[in-house]
Amino acid sequence: MFVPKTDNQSDLEGPHRNAGPWLCSICSQQNDTSCMSCEVCGVLRDLSLYFNNTNEPEGGAKRRNKHSGVSVLARSLFTPSSPKSKAIVFSDGFRGNKNATGHMQASLGTLHKTFMTHKQRHNIVPFKFDIPSPDDMVSIGLKSSRHLRKDIPGKMVMGDDDLVAEKDTSTDPSSSVKLDELGGNSSSVAANTRNETLILDNELQHLSLERKPKNSKAKIKKPVPVSQYKPEPWMLQGEDQEMPRQLNLAIVGHVDSGKSTLCGRLLHALGRISKKQMHKNEKEAKEKGKGSFAYAWAMDESADERARGITMNVGVAYFDTKNYQVVMLDSPGHKDFVPNMISGVTQADAAVLVVDASLGSFESGMGVNGVGQTKEHSQLIRSFGVENLIVAVNKMDSVEYSAERFNYVKSQLGIFLRSCGYKESAITWVPLSAMENENLVTAASDTRLSSWFHGTCLLEAIDSSAAPHRDVSKPLRLPICDVISSHVLGQVAVCGKVVCGAIRSDSKVLVMPSGELATVKIIERDSSRLSSARAGDNIAIGLQGIDPIHVMSGGVLCHPDYPVSVASSLELKILVLDITVPILPGLQFELHAHHAKVSASLVRIVSLLDQKTGKASARKPRMLTARQAAVVEVRLEREVCVEEFGTLKALGRAFLRSQGSTVAVGVVTRVVQVQGERAEQAS
């Protein structure tokens, strides 16, 4: 006799049709009432409650369809795949259904009880399909909690970045409606189950294999006015007073004028190069047929430089005088490597202009048929702000130490140097021979030179240079000359000259233009560890807490509260050099500012300037020709760290180069577009 169940009662919970022991129709075994199958042969007792039967009363089908809480997975597993079915007879005479594929349709609990042994059946709990499965509970909880989080304020739940308001679903009747719509049965889900689901949702929100990518543009806070900056006491009184003052000395000049040989000979005479290293250089140079390059190889260490016989990168060396620790910057003289020369020599406090006194070589450097490198380098170092210049007239041995030749070089070059803005009193003339070690570190011993020259040797001239101005009253500014690799300094290491302010270990610095903060861990100067460094010091720094991708040559380390300006468009006051092709609006060129190099275009020519008065003489001229001064506006391909020349001279100079030549030099008069202003407008 069939006994119908209530709507909320599972199939497996319903009573059996027959009471008392039952007899198996196959083996005649008498089985207990609780057994669903024969203990001997395993034949099912009664399948009328578990299979879809065409003879089943209509109420039973309706009763099963009313269980809306059955999970989606269960419905898909136990739904007939085809309406065509085949009748099958079981041991108790019940006619079940077998679908077209040959598979029997039954509940999971029935299959367990049918095909498992008696001992194993005791611990099996039948799966209840009238309540949501664990998968459904998680998915319903995720959807409902996201919906409730948007709509109604309540308790605070921590999201990915901020605090987000969320309503307590235990007091919200709409949450039950949401569950019903998604396939769940709200009457069968307890309140504590919903709370556990929401807690699980909150934990899942925090699980992630990767962090969300940061915005490519760092948000730089609004800078504090520089006028409010006050230097700290440790900046004014240094802890490393035993260290001598630094003098950054640039060695510049025309190609093949003997710059690297002069540097190597000077270092060897001062004991900075050992005899063993010098002997090795001499041996390797003779093997390659370049015996005269032995001293030059002390500075030109790369294989390419030694193979080509020219300097390609700026070489750095140190030596001491009575008053200074000199940082010697050996700059390339070839016109193809002038950009490297600009990047290195922008750190210079003083300069040595090396001139070849040989017949024809001096004239070539002066540019008989155009602009020679002697002229171009003289103009560039003056534009760097170098006021003290030492002119080393080299290779005097090739002209028999002739006084007439020296005076000729002095008169011709002196006229051009004065036109560049050098004062006669700031120029020191020194005749010498680097190869013969004449008049380098001691007075000349050759009577052909000592008979008519009674001035100072090169080393004394360097030591007599005026002390450069050190400005610690302004916030930190350290243009990054190069990103270096060092086991001592760490994974991220940079080098450069502190142009203003001061820096010390374990302090925070802002790396621009990326806007990332970093910690200064190590400061070195000539391989000596320092606790702090001040304006004028050429140092190497090890940084921590920053990704190397944010550190690049041309960037600037600055005070976290006083960031440097980052510009994409500039107004410049320029002086056009000796050019043959006029400059027109739309010109594409390379702009060099301290160690940064960027492609740029000339937007418009604002006005021409009178070079004597500095006032505008013409508005919006069509073009610029040689030796003209003008105010122009340029647009940069990418952002560059600069300052107005009136604010900070070291970061306010610019050089314009086109087709391998320097076409103009100038200063930044106005930063047209600043990154900090755009960030503030966007917010």
Side-chain angles (χ1 to χ4, degrees):
M1 178 178 178
F2 178 76
V3 180
K5 297 178 291 185
T6 60
D7 290 341
N8 292 332
Q9 190 176 18
S10 172
D11 286 357
L12 296 176
E13 296 173 341
H16 301 296
R17 292 187 303 171
N18 301 325
W22 59 279
L23 191 66
C24 178
S25 60
I26 302 298
C27 63
S28 302
Q29 171 68 25
Q30 189 173 8
N31 299 287
D32 189 73
T33 306
S34 61
C35 296
M36 298 296 298
S37 61
C38 180
E39 295 182 356
V40 177
C41 64
V43 174
L44 297 178
R45 173 190 175 186
D46 187 2
L47 301 179
S48 60
L49 297 178
Y50 309 106
F51 294 98
N52 295 329
N53 194 325
T54 55
N55 299 325
E56 184 181 13
E58 185 178 357
K62 291 182 179 180
R63 182 192 69 229
R64 280 194 299 273
N65 293 336
K66 288 184 65 177
H67 294 309
S68 60
V70 176
S71 68
V72 178
L73 178 61
R75 286 200 298 267
S76 63
L77 288 175
F78 295 96
T79 300
S81 58
S82 174
K84 296 181 180 181
S85 60
K86 202 175 194 180
I88 185 169
V89 180
F90 289 88
S91 60
D92 58 353
F94 172 72
R95 296 175 64 86
N97 284 338
K98 188 174 183 182
N99 58 21
T101 60
H103 295 90
M104 185 60 61
Q105 298 170 348
S107 65
L108 189 61
T110 303
L111 296 177
H112 272 293
K113 288 187 176 183
T114 302
F115 297 104
M116 296 186 70
T117 62
H118 179 71
K119 294 182 180 180
Q120 291 174 325
R121 290 200 304 268
H122 289 299
N123 297 328
I124 297 176
V125 178
F127 188 84
K128 299 179 182 295
F129 294 113
D130 57 346
I131 62 173
S133 68
D135 290 340
D136 291 338
M137 291 171 62
V138 173
S139 61
I140 292 171
L142 288 174
K143 295 178 182 179
S144 60
S145 62
R146 281 196 292 268
H147 178 79
L148 296 173
R149 187 181 290 114
K150 295 178 182 178
D151 293 343
I152 305 173
K155 65 179 181 178
M156 304 304 290
V157 177
M158 182 65 71
D160 290 338
D161 299 314
D162 302 307
L163 289 173
V164 182
E166 179 177 335
K167 181 177 178 181
D168 189 353
T169 56
S170 61
T171 59
D172 183 15
S174 63
S175 60
S176 301
V177 179
K178 299 293 181 183
L179 292 175
D180 288 336
E181 292 176 356
L182 295 170
N185 193 340
S186 60
S187 61
S188 63
V189 181
N192 58 347
T193 304
R194 292 197 299 269
N195 292 337
E196 292 176 359
T197 303
L198 295 179
I199 293 173
L200 177 61
D201 172 31
N202 184 32
E203 294 176 353
L204 290 175
Q205 293 294 328
H206 289 80
L207 294 178
S208 176
L209 294 177
E210 297 180 357
R211 295 178 63 88
K212 290 184 177 180
K214 294 183 179 180
N215 194 356
S216 58
K217 290 290 183 183
K219 187 174 181 180
I220 303 171
K221 63 181 180 180
K222 186 177 180 181
V224 181
V226 179
S227 58
Q228 299 181 12
Y229 177 77
K230 293 182 180 180
E232 300 179 31
W234 65 268
M235 300 179 181
L236 304 177
Q237 296 180 353
E239 300 173 0
D240 305 297
Q241 292 295 337
E242 69 277 3
M243 297 291 290
R245 292 177 300 174
Q246 273 196 339
L247 179 71
N248 297 282
L249 183 69
I251 311 297
V252 299
H254 186 63
V255 63
D256 292 334
S257 60
K259 300 184 298 299
S260 296
T261 300
L262 185 147
C263 294
R265 189 69 170 177
L266 188 62
L267 293 173
H268 181 257
L270 295 174
R272 301 291 293 188
I273 301 178
S274 64
K275 293 182 179 180
K276 181 180 179 180
Q277 182 64 37
M278 198 64 233
H279 177 72
K280 179 182 178 181
N281 290 344
E282 290 177 353
K283 181 180 178 181
E284 293 179 355
K286 288 180 181 179
E287 290 176 352
K288 296 185 178 181
K290 298 180 179 181
S292 61
F293 286 80
Y295 289 103
W297 282 10
M299 300 298 293
D300 300 339
E301 297 181 350
S302 69
D304 290 340
E305 289 178 321
R306 293 186 175 187
R308 297 183 60 177
I310 59 174
T311 302
M312 301 167 63
N313 298 304
V314 177
V316 181
Y318 298 85
F319 65 88
D320 297 330
T321 65
K322 294 180 181 179
N323 298 322
Y324 301 107
Q325 182 191 49
V326 179
V327 183
M328 187 165 57
L329 306 168
D330 181 24
S331 306
H334 198 280
K335 63 179 182 179
D336 292 342
F337 305 105
V338 172
N340 296 343
M341 173 261 185
I342 293 175
S343 177
V345 181
T346 186
Q347 307 171 79
D349 301 314
V352 175
L353 177 62
V354 183
V355 180
D356 189 349
S358 303
L359 295 175
S361 297
F362 170 72
E363 288 76 11
S364 176
M366 291 297 291
V368 177
N369 298 321
V371 179
Q373 298 305 301
T374 300
K375 282 187 174 181
E376 183 175 6
H377 285 206
S378 302
Q379 292 169 330
L380 289 175
I381 59 178
R382 184 66 187 95
S383 301
F384 291 143
V386 176
E387 298 178 354
N388 300 314
L389 181 65
I390 300 172
V391 181
V393 184
N394 192 22
K395 301 185 181 180
M396 286 295 294
D397 56 313
S398 64
V399 294
E400 302 296 330
Y401 298 101
S402 171
E404 289 77 12
R405 181 63 175 174
F406 174 76
N407 291 329
Y408 174 78
V409 170
K410 183 177 179 179
S411 61
Q412 293 294 317
L413 183 57
I415 295 173
F416 178 77
L417 293 178
R418 286 190 292 271
S419 68
C420 293
Y422 287 101
K423 297 179 181 179
E424 186 66 35
S425 59
I427 305 175
T428 303
W429 300 85
V430 181
L432 54 86
S433 173
M435 186 62 68
E436 300 295 330
N437 194 20
E438 287 292 331
N439 211 29
L440 258 67
V441 297
T442 58
S445 59
D446 196 310
T447 56
R448 292 176 296 177
L449 179 59
S450 59
S451 61
W452 57 268
F453 181 74
H454 306 287
T456 61
C457 65
L458 179 62
L459 185 63
E460 292 175 349
I462 293 173
D463 192 52
S464 302
S465 299
H469 175 64
R470 309 302 194 196
D471 190 359
V472 296
S473 62
K474 294 181 180 180
L476 171 66
R477 296 289 186 268
L478 193 156
I480 300 175
C481 175
D482 195 10
V483 180
I484 60 179
S485 176
S486 172
H487 295 290
V488 178
L489 297 177
Q491 184 180 5
V492 184
V494 300
C495 63
K497 174 188 173 184
V498 183
V499 298
C500 65
I503 187 173
R504 65 176 174 179
S505 300
D506 299 324
S507 62
K508 295 287 186 179
V509 293
L510 186 66
V511 182
M512 298 293 284
S514 63
E516 300 290 332
L517 281 173
T519 303
V520 178
K521 299 306 295 182
I522 302 175
I523 301 176
E524 282 191 353
R525 190 173 81 177
D526 189 18
S527 301
S528 299
R529 187 72 61 89
L530 300 178
S531 60
S532 62
R534 289 156 192 82
D537 291 341
N538 199 305
I539 58 176
I541 300 176
L543 299 175
Q544 282 189 353
I546 187 171
D547 195 307
I549 196 173
H550 298 304
V551 183
M552 66 189 72
S553 177
V556 176
L557 303 185
C558 52
H559 193 289
D561 296 329
Y562 302 89
V564 67
S565 300
V566 180
S568 59
S569 185
L570 298 172
E571 183 182 87
L572 305 175
K573 183 188 292 184
I574 64 171
L575 173 64
V576 182
L577 303 182
D578 296 325
I579 59 175
T580 56
V581 180
I583 296 177
L584 300 173
L587 172 69
Q588 302 291 323
F589 56 88
E590 286 183 351
L591 184 138
H592 296 257
H594 52 91
H595 303 293
K597 180 178 72 172
V598 59
S599 299
S601 60
L602 181 63
V603 177
R604 63 191 182 100
I605 304 173
V606 180
S607 62
L608 280 177
L609 298 177
D610 189 308
Q611 296 190 31
K612 294 182 179 180
T613 62
K615 296 182 180 180
S617 59
R619 295 289 181 181
K620 297 182 180 180
R622 296 179 56 189
M623 61 182 181
L624 297 176
T625 57
R627 312 306 299 179
Q628 284 187 327
V631 176
V632 299
E633 183 178 334
V634 298
R635 182 181 296 110
L636 311 179
E637 188 179 68
R638 61 178 175 83
E639 296 170 331
V640 173
C641 300
V642 293
E643 293 280 8
E644 294 182 2
F645 186 74
T647 303
L648 184 59
K649 294 181 179 180
L651 299 184
R653 296 186 175 94
F655 309 90
L656 279 57
R657 289 180 54 82
S658 177
Q659 298 180 353
S661 300
T662 305
V663 297
V665 296
V667 297
V668 179
T669 56
R670 186 165 63 94
V671 178
V672 179
Q673 193 170 4
V674 185
Q675 187 186 56
E677 294 177 356
R678 294 200 309 276
E680 184 180 358
Q681 292 174 1
S683 59

